C-alpha cells in the first residue's frame, strides 16, 4: 500500500509546523529587537511591538530567493523563464532559446516583476546520460528555495522522479505545462477537454508514485499574459512572501508567547501574595468589569491601544476586537465555561452564604476571587497572543 505523502502545500497562515524547508539561518532578530519586544510586552505597549514586527518583515522581504526551473530537455524551460519575466526572446536580457538543446550549464536571471529573486535555468534532465542523483547534485538542488518543473507533450517518468525527489527534500514545487498553443492547434478535442486531460494526466502520474498534488499551471510561452500565467504569478508572489517570512514569523511568535507566558506567571504569583487592588490599581477586586479593563490595559489590548494599532496597520479596531474573548465582561463570561460557572447566580448565592460562616467564609471567598482573576488573566493573555499573531500575518502579507 502506497504511503500517504506529506503535503508541502499547507498554507503558512494556518500552520507553522509544515515540513517545507525554508530559510532558517537568517539572523534577522537582533538582540536589540528582542529586548525591545520584551520591554514593550512587559509594559503593555503593543504599538511598539508592531513597529518591531514591521521593521523585521521589511528586512526579510529583501532576502534573495532562488527558484530552479527544471524538467526534460526541449520542454521550453528557457522560453518559460522569458515569458514569466514578460521578455521577448530577442531582448538582450532574455534567456537563449533554440530548436535544439540550448542550455548546457546553469544560467541565472532576474526580473523587476519579482525583486530579489533569482531564476535558475537548469539544463534539462536527460541532456546527458547522468543519473537522477548525479543531476540533483550537479545542479545543486539543495540551494534552491522553490522549483518549477516544466513539461510539454507528455508528463514523463523523469518529471515524476524530479517531483518525488523535490518533495523528498521538503521543498515546494509547481508543475507548469508550457505549450498550450501547439496543443490547441493540433488536437481535435475542445480546448476545455484538452485542459482537463492534461491536468488529469499530470495528477494521475504523480499519484501513482505517491507524490502529493502540487499547484499545476497550464500556459503558452507565446502568451505570457494569458491562460494560467496571471494565476501563476499571483501564487508565486504569495509563496515568495511565505518562504521569506515563515522562519521569522515562527521565531517572533515563539518569542512573544514566551514573554507573555512569563508575564502571566509573574502576575499569578503576585495575585496569590498581594492585594488585587494594588496590582491592578482599582478600588474593588470583585468588580469584574473594572478588573477586566485593568487586565486588558496591562497587556496593551485595551480599546485605546487597539485603536492605535489598527491605525498604524491601516485597518479598523473591530478587526482585532472580533477575535477577542475578553472584549467585554458579557462576552468573556458567555464564551468561557469556567467564567460562566464562577459567575452564575447559584455560585454567587453560595458565596454570599459563606460570608456568614466564621473562620471558613473568608478563605473560600478569597479562593474563588483568586480563581476568577486567574482565569480572566489567562483569557486576556491568550487574546493578546491571538492579536499579535494576526498582526504578524498581516505584516507578512503586506510585503
Amino acid at each position: 500500500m502506497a504511503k500517504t505523502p506529506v503535503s508541502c502545500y499547507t498554507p503558512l497562515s494556518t500552520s507553522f509546523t509544515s515540513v517545507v524547508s525554508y530559510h532558517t539561518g537568517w539572523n534577522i532578530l537582533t538582540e536589540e529587537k528582542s529586548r525591545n519586544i520584551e520591554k514593550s510586552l512587559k509594559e503593555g505597549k503593543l504599538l511598539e511591538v508592531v513597529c518591531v514586527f514591521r521593521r523585521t518583515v521589511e528586512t526579510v522581504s529583501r532576502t534573495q530567493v532562488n527558484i530552479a526551473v527544471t524538467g526534460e530537455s526541449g520542454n521550453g524551460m528557457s522560453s518559460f523563464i522569458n515569458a514569466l519575466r514578460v521578455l521577448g526572446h530577442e531582448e538582450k536580457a532574455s534567456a537563449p532559446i533554440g530548436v535544439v538543446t540550448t542550455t548546457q550549464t546553469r544560467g541565472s536571471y532576474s526580473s523587476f516583476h519579482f525583486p530579489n529573486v533569482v531564476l535558475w535555468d537548469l539544463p534539462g534532465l536527460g541532456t546527458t546520460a547522468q543519473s537522477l542523483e548525479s543531476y540533483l547534485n550537479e545542479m545543486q538542488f539543495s540551494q534552491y528555495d522553490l522549483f518549477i518543473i516544466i513539461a510539454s507533450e507528455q508528463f514523463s517518468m523523469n518529471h515524476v522522479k524530479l517531483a518525488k525527489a523535490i518533495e523528498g527534500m521538503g521543498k515546494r514545487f509547481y508543475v507548469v505545462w508550457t505549450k498550450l498553443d501547439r496543443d490547441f492547434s493540433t488536437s481535435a478535442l475542445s480546448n476545455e477537454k484538452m485542459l482537463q486531460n492534461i491536468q488529469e494526466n499530470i495528477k494521475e502520474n504523480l499519484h501513482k508514485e505517491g507524490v502529493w498534488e502540487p499547484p499545476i499551471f497550464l500556459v503558452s510561452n507565446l502568451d505570457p499574459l494569458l491562460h494560467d500565467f496571471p494565476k501563476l504569478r499571483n501564487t508565486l508572489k504569495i509563496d515568495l512572501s511565505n518562504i521569506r517570512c515563515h522562519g521569522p514569523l515562527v521565531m517572533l511568535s515563539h518569542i512573544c508567547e514566551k514573554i507573555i507566558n512569563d508575564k502571566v506567571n509573574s502576575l499569578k504569583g503576585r495575585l496569590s501574595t498581594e492585594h488585587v487592588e494594588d496590582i491592578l490599581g482599582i478600588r474593588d477586586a470583585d468588580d469584574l468589569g473594572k478588573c477586566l479593563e485593568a487586565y486588558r490595559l496591562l497587556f496593551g489590548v485595551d480599546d485605546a491601544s487597539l485603536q492605535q494599532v489598527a491605525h498604524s496597520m491601516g485597518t479598523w479596531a473591530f478587526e482585532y476586537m472580533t477575535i477577542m474573548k475578553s472584549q467585554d465582561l458579557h462576552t468573556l463570561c458567555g464564551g468561557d465555561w469556567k467564567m460562566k460557572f464562577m459567575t452564575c447566580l447559584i455560585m454567587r448565592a453560595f458565596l454570599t452564604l459563606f460570608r456568614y460562616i466564621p473562620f471558613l467564609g473568608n478563605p473560600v471567598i478569597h479562593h474563588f476571587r483568586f480563581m476568577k482573576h486567574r482565569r480572566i488573566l489567562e483569557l486576556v493573555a491568550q487574546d493578546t497572543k491571538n492579536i499579535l499573531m494576526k498582526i504578524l500575518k498581516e505584516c507578512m502579507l503586506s510585503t
Side-chain angles (χ1 to χ4, degrees):
M1 187 175 182
K3 183 181 177 182
T4 303
V6 180
S7 173
C8 294
Y9 303 98
T10 305
L12 294 179
S13 58
T14 60
S15 173
F16 293 129
T17 56
S18 78
V19 297
V20 190
S21 296
Y22 294 93
H23 289 291
T24 57
W26 302 335
N27 185 23
I28 52 89
L29 201 61
T30 63
E31 188 176 340
E32 181 185 3
K33 286 181 181 178
S34 298
R35 284 198 304 267
N36 288 343
I37 290 175
E38 183 173 7
K39 181 175 181 292
S40 300
L41 285 176
K42 283 182 176 179
E43 296 176 357
K45 296 178 179 177
L46 212 62
L47 186 59
E48 294 182 8
V49 179
V50 173
C51 291
V52 177
F53 285 176
R54 298 181 84 161
R55 289 198 300 269
T56 302
V57 171
E58 285 171 7
T59 299
V60 300
S61 68
R62 297 190 292 270
T63 304
Q64 179 177 299
V65 175
N66 293 292
I67 300 176
V69 179
T70 183
E72 282 191 321
S73 177
N75 283 171
M77 290 177 286
S78 300
S79 296
F80 167 78
I81 287 178
N82 292 336
L84 185 64
R85 298 158 70 213
V86 197
L87 283 180
H89 301 316
E90 72 287 348
E91 295 188 46
K92 186 176 180 180
S94 64
I97 64 168
V99 292
V100 295
T101 300
T102 306
T103 304
Q104 300 292 339
T105 58
R106 295 192 311 159
S108 60
Y109 302 91
S110 60
S111 171
F112 71 89
H113 294 287
F114 303 102
N116 302 306
V117 170
V118 178
L119 294 165
W120 290 89
D121 187 8
L122 306 187
L125 179 61
T127 304
T128 63
Q130 84 267 48
S131 66
L132 175 64
E133 184 178 358
S134 298
Y135 179 78
L136 300 182
N137 291 332
E138 186 178 337
M139 295 301 116
Q140 302 175 37
F141 265 44
S142 61
Q143 83 167 52
Y144 307 116
D145 304 298
L146 186 145
F147 295 80
I148 298 176
I149 298 176
I150 301 298
S152 64
E153 298 183 38
Q154 64 171 337
F155 193 74
S156 69
M157 184 51 64
N158 276 339
H159 293 113
V160 176
K161 288 178 179 178
L162 281 170
K164 194 166 187 176
I166 294 166
E167 184 181 74
M169 297 166 63
K171 299 291 183 78
R172 188 165 173 80
F173 68 95
Y174 308 155
V175 172
V176 178
W177 187 273
T178 59
K179 298 181 181 179
L180 279 183
D181 53 294
R182 187 192 57 192
D183 297 325
F184 289 158
S185 64
T186 59
S187 175
L189 297 174
S190 67
N191 288 357
E192 183 178 350
K193 185 63 177 176
M194 171 64 67
L195 294 172
Q196 181 182 341
N197 285 355
I198 295 171
Q199 285 264 6
E200 289 177 352
N201 176 256
I202 293 171
K203 293 175 184 178
E204 182 181 351
N205 286 327
L206 291 173
H207 289 168
K208 283 179 182 178
E209 295 299 318
V211 179
W212 197 276
E213 183 181 313
I216 299 171
F217 304 97
L218 310 183
V219 304
S220 166
N221 286 341
L222 300 181
D223 297 306
L225 302 179
L226 299 179
H227 307 300
D228 281 344
F229 258 124
K231 180 182 173 184
L232 167 59
R233 290 189 181 91
N234 288 336
T235 303
L236 185 54
K237 286 178 181 177
I238 293 170
D239 280 333
L240 288 172
S241 178
N242 286 339
I243 289 170
R244 289 178 171 124
C245 296
H246 177 263
L249 187 64
V250 173
M251 188 186 305
L252 285 168
S253 65
H254 286 173
I255 288 173
C256 290
E257 184 167 6
K258 182 182 184 306
I259 294 169
I260 292 171
N261 288 343
D262 289 345
K263 183 173 181 175
V264 169
N265 291 333
S266 174
L267 286 169
K268 284 180 178 178
R270 293 182 63 191
L271 284 172
S272 63
T273 60
E274 302 177 35
H275 292 295
V276 174
E277 292 86 349
D278 295 335
I279 298 172
L280 300 181
I282 57 174
R283 292 182 178 181
D284 184 2
D286 291 320
D287 186 344
L288 296 185
K290 291 294 183 183
C291 293
L292 176 58
E293 291 177 9
Y295 281 117
R296 288 180 57 193
L297 186 61
L298 274 177
F299 283 86
V301 290
D302 55 289
D303 290 351
S305 296
L306 291 180
Q307 287 283 2
Q308 291 177 339
V309 169
H311 180 73
S312 74
M313 294 295 295
T315 185
W316 301 96
F318 75 83
E319 293 285 342
Y320 304 119
M321 295 290 290
T322 54
I323 64 173
M324 293 181 67
K325 285 186 176 181
S326 63
Q327 57 184 276
D328 55 57
L329 189 61
H330 176 75
T331 305
L332 186 78
C333 295
D336 181 72
W337 70 267
K338 291 183 180 180
M339 285 301 299
K340 185 181 291 187
F341 171 74
M342 287 188 285
T343 57
C344 68
L345 285 173
I346 295 175
M347 183 56 63
R348 292 208 299 269
F350 175 73
L351 292 175
T352 300
L353 288 174
F354 261 93
R355 292 180 186 276
Y356 302 99
I357 302 177
F359 307 111
L360 182 60
N362 284 339
V364 171
I365 293 169
H366 178 77
H367 175 73
F368 270 91
R369 180 185 295 131
F370 171 76
M371 294 301 294
K372 284 186 282 188
H373 279 265
R374 179 188 176 102
R375 187 57 183 161
I376 293 173
L377 172 60
E378 291 170 346
L379 292 171
V380 172
Q382 186 57 54
D383 281 344
T384 305
K385 294 175 187 177
N386 293 341
I387 289 170
L388 285 171
M389 185 54 60
K390 180 176 174 61
I391 292 168
L392 263 175
K393 292 171 185 174
E394 288 170 351
C395 289
M396 181 186 76
L397 291 174
S398 68
T399 59

